[in-house]
Amino acid sequence: GIGGDLLIHCFTSIGNAIFAGSAESAGIFKSTDAGDTWQWSSNNLTDLDIWALTADERYVYAGGHYGEVFRSGNLGVSWDSLPFPASRGSITSLSVDGGNLYATSEAIGAYRSSDRGMTWTSLNNGGLGSDVSSLAARGQYLFAVTNNRIMRSSNRGSSWSQCRTGLDTTTSYWPVAIH
């Protein structure tokens, strides 16, 4: 189970399973009893520094410190490595919406997959840049944090504009989530 001085960096859930990702080479833990007990759930992971988790109706996805994205179709019993283009730089966020999987890397920016992680398309155009620390998806809208700016796309990442109204431009922005 989870214990000691473990740094949990991210959570996601699917059905009655909750997943917690550790950013200290401890991997992924799973609970099926609302967090009362936890089991190690990291079989086949080649990167145990987990920085991002998300899930759709069929899969749980995990992003690692060394630029790898993983997928589990059996609630974390085992994990498969996906062909994400990053070979370095942490996966800083994962998000799913409308059949699309989104991943960001501190080294190569934001990417979208419409086939559950088998192929990827770069979203680093229209002013987004490649230093993306977080991304959240909601319908056709994407929100990204990059270089202390919050960016928005209204067309699933084809183009980007900076969100400015009501935001302090001297503030540092970090992860975003939309529920």
Side-chain angles (χ1 to χ4, degrees), residues 47 51 63-69 84-92 104-109:
D47 183 351
W51 286 49
H65 178 66
Y66 299 105
E68 292 184 80
V69 176
F84 189 70
S87 59
R88 63 189 187 342
S90 300
I91 302 299
T92 54
T104 62
S105 165
E106 62 187 12
I108 63 169

Side-chain angles (χ1 to χ4, degrees), residues 12-99:
T12 197
S13 64
I14 182 172
N16 71 336
I18 303 168
F19 294 85
S22 169
E24 295 185 342
S25 296
I28 297 172
F29 295 85
K30 177 176 76 172
S31 174
T32 56
D33 59 9
D36 286 336
T37 60
W38 294 87
Q39 299 82 35
W40 190 73
S41 182
S42 304
N43 288 332
N44 301 345
L45 286 179
T46 54
D47 183 351
L48 294 175
D49 270 341
I50 303 301
W51 286 49
L53 288 168
T54 196
D56 61 20
E57 67 281 352
R58 187 170 168 196
Y59 293 104
V60 180
Y61 301 92
H65 178 66
Y66 299 105
E68 292 184 80
V69 176
F70 303 94
R71 178 178 74 187
S72 175
N74 54 18
L75 295 175
V77 173
S78 62
W79 297 85
D80 297 315
S81 181
L82 297 174
F84 189 70
S87 59
R88 63 189 187 342
S90 300
I91 302 299
T92 54
S93 69
L94 292 169
S95 185
V96 292
D97 192 67

Side-chain angles (χ1 to χ4, degrees), residues 123-136 142-153 160-165 167-176:
L123 303 178
N124 304 324
N125 52 21
L128 183 63
S130 61
D131 184 17
V132 181
S133 59
S134 183
L135 184 139
L142 301 178
F143 296 87
V145 176
T146 178
N147 297 320
N148 292 333
R149 299 177 298 154
I150 296 179
M151 304 293 287
R152 180 180 68 188
S153 172
W160 296 89
S161 61
Q162 186 173 352
C163 298
R164 294 184 181 171
T165 304
L167 295 173
D168 180 354
T169 58
T170 62
T171 300
S172 293
Y173 298 100
W174 214 182
V176 289

